[in-house]
Amino acid sequence: MRRRMSMVRVTFVDVHGVEQAVAGEGDLSLMELAKANGIDGIAADCGGACSCATCLVHVDPAWVDRTGAPDDIEYAMLDMVSDVAGDTSRLACQIRLTSALDGLRVVVAQQ
């Protein structure tokens, strides 16, 4: 029997400033949730391989501790887009949804 994952709610502010609250099962990446819900500005050209930075988001400062810090590979990708990245920037493909992130708020970066 397959165990059902808990639903995680996330609010995205897309590249047009439109706020959209969506929900998805835990263990998806934030990028997968965005793509499944048509969030404008999340291109995800590499499909989640952490090699393009086209899923760049700015994590609401209240959530930074819960989303964690980028690893070395993600940090290198963020450095390549330093003109639009900031202190709270992450690649959505590198954030896994868990119940601890229920209510997360992110702003999609202008690229």
Side-chain angles (χ1 to χ4, degrees):
M1 186 167 136
R2 188 175 154 215
R3 197 178 108 203
R4 185 181 161 112
M5 301 297 258
S6 62
M7 295 298 282
V8 178
R9 294 168 293 143
V10 176
T11 299
F12 290 91
V13 179
D14 72 15
V15 292
H16 308 291
V18 176
E19 200 169 294
Q20 185 175 347
V22 299
E25 285 190 2
D27 206 36
L28 288 175
S29 72
L30 187 60
M31 177 274 296
E32 290 169 319
L33 181 64
K35 291 296 287 178
N37 287 280
I39 303 297
D40 282 342
I42 300 289
D45 291 343
C46 73
C50 194
S51 63
C52 72
T54 60
C55 65
L56 181 67
V57 296
H58 305 292
V59 176
D60 185 291
W63 290 89
V64 169
D65 288 341
R66 285 180 261 182
T67 58
D71 65 16
D72 290 343
I73 294 169
E74 181 181 356
Y75 185 76
M77 291 306 304
L78 291 170
D79 192 46
M80 292 177 62
V81 291
S82 62
D83 57 327
V84 293
D87 292 341
T88 66
S89 296
R90 291 290 310 273
L91 299 181
C93 66
Q94 298 303 296
I95 299 174
R96 301 301 302 177
L97 297 179
T98 67
S99 59
L101 295 180
D102 188 40
L104 175 64
R105 179 183 169 83
V106 297
V107 176
V108 178
Q110 298 281 341
Q111 293 194 42

